[in-house]
Amino acid sequence: MEQNSPENSRDGLPPFIKNWPQMYAVVIGTLFVLIVLFYLMMRYFS
Amino acid sequence: MSFIDWLVLIGTLSFIVIYGMYRSRGKQNIEDYLIANQSLPWYHVCFSVMATQASAITFLSAPGQGFADGMRFVQFYFGLPLAMVVLSITFVPIFHRLKVFTAYEFLETRFDGRVRIFTVILFLLSRGLSTGLSIYAPSIILATILGWDLTWTNILMGTVVLVYTVSGGTKAISHTHLQQMIIVTVAMFVAGYMVVHLLPAEVGFVDALKIAGKAGRINTIDFHFDPNSRYNLWSGLIGGFFLQLSYFGTDQSQVGRYLTGQSIGQSRLGLMMNGLLKIPMQFLILLVGILVFVYYQYNPAPLFFNQVEIDKLKSSQYAADYESLETKHQRLVSNQREAVDNLAQALEKDQSSEVERWQNTINEADKAKKELKSEAVALIKKNNPTADTSDVNYVFLRFVLDRLPIGLIGLLIAVIFSASMGSIAAAYNSLASTTVIDIYKRFYRKEGSENHFLNASRLATIGWGIFCVIVAQYASKLGSMIEAVNILGSLFYGVILGIFLVAFYFKKLGGRATFWGAVLAEIAVVLCWWFDLTAFLWLNVIGCLLVIGFAWGYQQIMGKENKVG
C-alpha cells in the first residue's frame, strides 16, 4: 500500500486507534457484540 | 395543546431555523451552497448523516412498530455498519479526490453521459417521491392536533423547510442538523423515562421489559432464513447492507452530507460514528415503543389510534356498530389488565407454570384485540373508502398528546417536526444539486457565472419543494410510512448501487454494457415487486447483482467497447 494512501493517513482517527483498518474492525466488532447482546436480551426476557 | 406547549414548539423550531441561517450568513458561491466548501468537521458529518436518515417517520412509525410488532425492526439496520466500512474504503476517497458536487458526475468520468443521466433519473424519481412521504409524516400531526386539512398542512410543512434551505444552502442544513440531533436525543430519553414513570409504582423498568418479553415484543433477533420474512438477521445483514450501501453511497441526499467533510479522514470518521451510533439509537426508539405497549397493558388503550378517523366514524351511520366494538374492546382491556397484574406477580415469585398461563391469556387477548381492530378498520373503510386504515403512525403521537405533561408535549412535537425538517432539507438540497449539476449544467448551460448557477440552484430547490408537496397529497394510502419509504427505495437503490459497483470494481465493463444491464435489471426488480416474489429488502440484492450480471453478459455477447474506464 502506498505511504500517502488514505488507509495510512491518521487524519480523523481517534487517538486510541492506530490506523483505519483497526477503526473498521472496531465498528464491525461492535455490530457483532450488539447482535449477541440483543439475542441474550431476547432469550432472557422472552 | 396548551399555550406553554405551543411556546416550546415554536421556540424550539425558531431557534433551530434562525441558528442555521445565522451560521450560514454571508456571501455564497455554488461550492458553499451545495457542499459547504468542504469545510466541516467529522461531528457535523456524523450528525448531518444521521439527521438526514432519521426523519419524522423514524419518530412516528418506529415506536408504533415497536408497539404493534415488537423490536424485530432493529434488524433492518444491521447492514448499516458494514456499509459504512465499504463506503469509507471505496466511495469517500474517490468522491473527495475527484472533487465532485454529486455522486453522478463520477459516472460520466468512468462510463458515459448515458449511464449518468439514467442514474440521475432513477435518483430524482425515488428521492422526489420519498421526500413527499417525509412531508406527509409531520403533516398528519398538524392535522390531528389542529383538525386542519392535510392539503394545507402539507403546504405549510414543505414551505417552512424551503425558507432556510433556499437561503442558507448546505451550511444552514448542516448546522440545523446538529441542533436537531441534540434535541431529538434528549427528548427521546425524557420520553422513555416518562413512560416508565407513568407505569404503576410496583412496575419498574425491568418488570416492564419482562412483560413486553412475555407478550412477544422483545423479538430482537430472528435467525431463520426466510426470503419472504420482512425482518430477520439475514435480510438485515445482507439485504440491509445492500440497501444502506446504496442509500449512503449513491443517494445524493447522503453523499452531499459527507462531501462537506473538510478531508477524507473527517468524512470517514463521521460515517464510522454513524455506524456505531445508528443501531443503538434505533433500538432505543423501538424500546420507547414497547414501553408504550406495556403502559397500555395497565391503562385503557384506544381501539384505533387515529382519533380523526374515529371522530368521523362516530358521527356516521356506523356509530352504533363502532360503540359496540369499543365496549367489547374495553372488556378485553380490563381482563387483560388483570392478567398482566397476575403475570407480574408470577414473574416476581418465579412461578413458571403461572407465568405460562397468564402469558397465554395475554396473547389470546392480544389476538382478540387485533380481530376487533380489523372489524373497526372495516367500518372505517366502509364509512370513508379513502381513509388511512393503518394506525401504527399514530400510536406514539396519541400517547404523547394524551399522557405526557404540559411542556413535554411541545418538546416531543418539536422533535418530530425538526427531525422531519432535517431530512426534507437535505433532500431538497440534493434534488436541486443533481438537477443543476447533472442536468442543467451538463446539457443546457455549460458556462455561466457563479451567481447564475447559485440562482439556478435556488430555483431548482423551490421547484422540487412544490413537486414534493404534491406527492405528499397522495401519501396517505401507503400504510406504515417507514415501510413505504423503504420499499420505494428498494425498487431503485439496488440498481443504482449495481451501477456504482460496476464502476468501482469491474474495470473491464464499459458504459453501453452497464447502461443496458441497468435498464434490464430495473425491469426485473419492478417485476419481482409487482408479482410479490420476495420481501422488499432482497430487491436491493437482486437489483445490484442483476446489473453486474446483465452488464457482464451484454459485454460477452456484444463484445468489448472501445471506451472503458
Side-chain angles (χ1 to χ4, degrees):
Chain A
M1 202 176 276
E2 293 169 42
Q3 276 306 301
N4 61 352
S5 80
E7 303 308 312
N8 289 338
S9 166
R10 278 205 50 84
D11 175 37
L13 279 174
F16 49 89
I17 305 271
K18 285 181 188 155
N19 51 42
W20 283 102
Q22 209 176 77
M23 184 76 212
Y24 304 145
V26 168
V27 172
I28 294 168
T30 307
L31 170 67
F32 180 73
V33 169
L34 282 174
I35 291 172
V36 171
L37 285 176
F38 289 161
Y39 176 70
L40 292 176
M41 182 189 174
M42 183 178 76
R43 285 290 301 268
Y44 180 76
F45 286 110
S46 301
Chain B
M1 287 210 308
S2 71
F3 174 72
I4 293 173
D5 287 319
W6 278 110
L7 210 63
V8 172
L9 172 63
I10 294 168
T12 310
L13 296 185
S14 304
F15 167 72
I16 291 171
V17 173
I18 293 167
Y19 179 79
M21 287 173 74
Y22 170 75
R23 291 300 301 262
S24 60
R25 71 196 185 283
K27 199 169 181 289
Q28 284 187 323
N29 58 28
I30 188 85
E31 273 193 50
D32 275 320
Y33 192 78
L34 296 183
I35 53 171
N37 221 2
Q38 295 198 310
S39 61
L40 300 178
W42 69 268
Y43 52 90
H44 265 280
V45 174
C46 173
F47 287 118
S48 202
V49 159
M50 290 183 84
T52 299
Q53 191 179 23
S55 64
I57 290 168
T58 311
F59 299 98
L60 280 174
S61 259
Q65 290 248 334
F67 176 92
D69 195 33
M71 300 197 73
R72 68 191 187 120
F73 181 60
V74 77
Q75 297 169 108
F76 174 80
Y77 294 94
F78 285 172
L80 188 141
L82 305 174
M84 293 300 109
V85 170
V86 174
L87 279 173
S88 295
I89 294 171
T90 311
F91 290 59
V92 174
I94 292 177
F95 290 156
H96 261 274
R97 254 190 246 120
L98 292 175
K99 294 196 179 302
V100 290
F101 284 99
T102 74
Y104 318 112
E105 283 179 82
F106 162 70
L107 293 177
E108 184 152 9
T109 317
R110 167 66 177 84
F111 299 120
D112 51 36
R114 195 167 42 171
V115 177
R116 178 181 179 182
I117 195 71
F118 178 74
T119 317
V120 162
I121 290 168
L122 288 188
F123 166 70
L124 292 176
L125 201 63
S126 63
R127 181 48 52 207
L129 292 173
S130 59
T131 305
L133 294 179
S134 303
I135 293 173
Y136 168 73
S139 292
I140 58 167
I141 301 173
L142 270 183
T144 307
I145 295 171
L146 303 170
W148 287 2
D149 188 279
L150 253 183
T151 305
W152 293 108
T153 48
N154 281 334
I155 290 170
L156 183 73
M157 189 68 226
T159 316
V160 168
V161 181
L162 262 185
V163 173
Y164 73 91
T165 314
V166 170
S167 67
T170 298
K171 247 185 203 168
I173 294 168
S174 208
H175 283 289
T176 50
H177 277 163
L178 193 62
Q179 310 304 319
Q180 284 156 355
M181 285 311 292
I182 292 168
I183 292 168
V184 160
T185 309
V186 170
M188 288 310 281
F189 269 105
V190 174
Y193 169 79
M194 282 307 299
V195 188
V196 177
H197 178 74
L198 289 168
L199 289 171
E202 69 277 11
V203 181
F205 176 66
V206 176
D207 303 315
L209 290 185
K210 282 182 182 170
I211 291 164
K214 295 297 170 199
R217 293 305 192 275
I218 304 190
N219 46 356
T220 30
I221 303 286
D222 180 1
F223 286 109
H224 293 102
F225 182 86
D226 177 4
N228 291 313
S229 154
R230 218 161 240 195
Y231 307 115
N232 58 51
L233 182 71
W234 312 111
S235 70
L237 277 174
I238 304 168
F241 166 74
F242 278 87
L243 175 64
Q244 307 291 353
L245 187 61
S246 183
Y247 173 53
F248 284 96
T250 71
D251 187 317
Q252 182 59 26
S253 69
Q254 283 296 359
V255 176
R257 309 281 69 76
Y258 57 79
L259 279 179
T260 60
Q262 58 191 219
S263 65
I264 293 174
Q266 295 295 313
S267 293
R268 274 179 164 174
L269 186 60
L271 291 177
M272 288 294 100
M273 294 310 286
N274 180 39
L276 289 171
L277 295 174
K278 182 68 189 179
I279 295 174
M281 181 185 126
Q282 211 58 43
F283 173 83
L284 290 174
I285 295 169
L286 285 165
L287 192 66
V288 171
I290 64 162
L291 290 173
V292 170
F293 168 81
V294 176
Y295 172 84
Y296 280 123
Q297 302 305 301
Y298 286 99
N299 297 278
L303 174 54
F304 193 74
F305 280 87
N306 183 349
Q307 195 56 41
V308 175
E309 292 300 337
I310 293 304
D311 289 343
K312 281 183 196 165
L313 196 61
K314 280 182 173 171
S315 58
S316 75
Q317 54 175 314
Y318 303 106
D321 297 331
Y322 182 73
E323 294 290 337
S324 142
L325 288 178
E326 221 172 30
T327 312
K328 283 183 200 164
H329 181 253
Q330 288 314 322
R331 212 175 299 137
L332 273 175
V333 166
S334 63
N335 288 348
Q336 198 172 359
R337 163 78 209 249
E338 205 183 312
V340 172
D341 280 335
N342 289 328
L343 175 68
Q345 279 175 21
L347 282 167
E348 206 180 313
K349 290 174 189 162
D350 209 10
Q351 299 165 319
S352 55
S353 62
E354 284 295 290
V355 167
E356 201 175 323
R357 179 185 160 200
W358 295 114
Q359 185 182 355
N360 288 337
T361 311
I362 290 169
N363 288 339
E364 274 164 29
D366 222 21
K367 212 172 139 193
K369 274 159 71 179
K370 277 180 184 162
E371 280 164 17
L372 282 180
K373 185 182 260 188
S374 303
E375 288 181 46
V377 165
L379 280 182
I380 290 169
K381 200 86 186 157
K382 252 198 234 175
N383 180 47
N384 175 15
T386 60
D388 181 4
T389 51
S390 165
D391 69 343
V392 168
N393 306 314
Y394 295 83
V395 172
F396 186 55
L397 174 65
R398 198 68 263 158
F399 171 79
V400 167
L401 291 173
D402 291 348
R403 314 291 170 168
L404 291 190
I406 287 173
L408 203 51
I409 294 176
L411 185 66
L412 262 296
I413 301 292
V415 162
I416 292 164
F417 267 88
S418 62
S420 180
M421 285 157 62
S423 62
I424 296 166
Y428 281 173
N429 185 256
S430 67
L431 289 164
S433 57
T434 307
T435 306
V436 171
I437 300 294
D438 296 298
I439 297 177
Y440 182 67
K441 203 174 174 197
R442 168 69 178 76
F443 294 102
Y444 298 102
R445 185 81 180 256
K446 291 197 174 164
E447 301 299 325
S449 66
E450 284 284 336
N451 218 26
H452 173 80
F453 288 117
L454 187 62
N455 287 334
S457 302
R458 288 189 164 133
L459 270 176
T461 310
I462 294 168
W464 277 108
I466 294 167
F467 174 83
C468 295
V469 168
I470 293 169
V471 173
Q473 287 303 109
Y474 296 94
S476 62
K477 312 283 176 289
L478 296 168
S480 168
M481 289 178 290
I482 197 159
E483 284 188 352
V485 167
N486 290 326
I487 291 169
L488 187 65
S490 298
L491 283 177
F492 301 101
Y493 280 156
V495 173
I496 299 178
L497 178 64
I499 295 170
F500 274 87
L501 290 188
V502 169
F504 288 133
Y505 297 113
F506 297 85
K507 302 283 183 195
K508 288 183 178 169
L509 295 180
R512 198 171 43 179
T514 308
F515 174 76
W516 287 112
V519 171
L520 291 174
E522 188 55 60
I523 293 168
V525 167
V526 171
L527 289 175
C528 281
W529 169 72
W530 188 262
F531 292 109
D532 205 12
L533 296 183
T534 181
F536 75 86
L537 266 176
W538 293 102
L539 295 177
N540 297 285
V541 187
I542 292 167
C544 178
L545 296 179
L546 282 182
V547 173
I548 298 168
F550 284 146
W552 182 82
Y554 183 95
Q555 193 144 306
Q556 294 303 309
I557 297 164
M558 305 301 283
K560 216 171 183 177
E561 293 160 53
N562 292 331
K563 188 200 170 192
V564 291

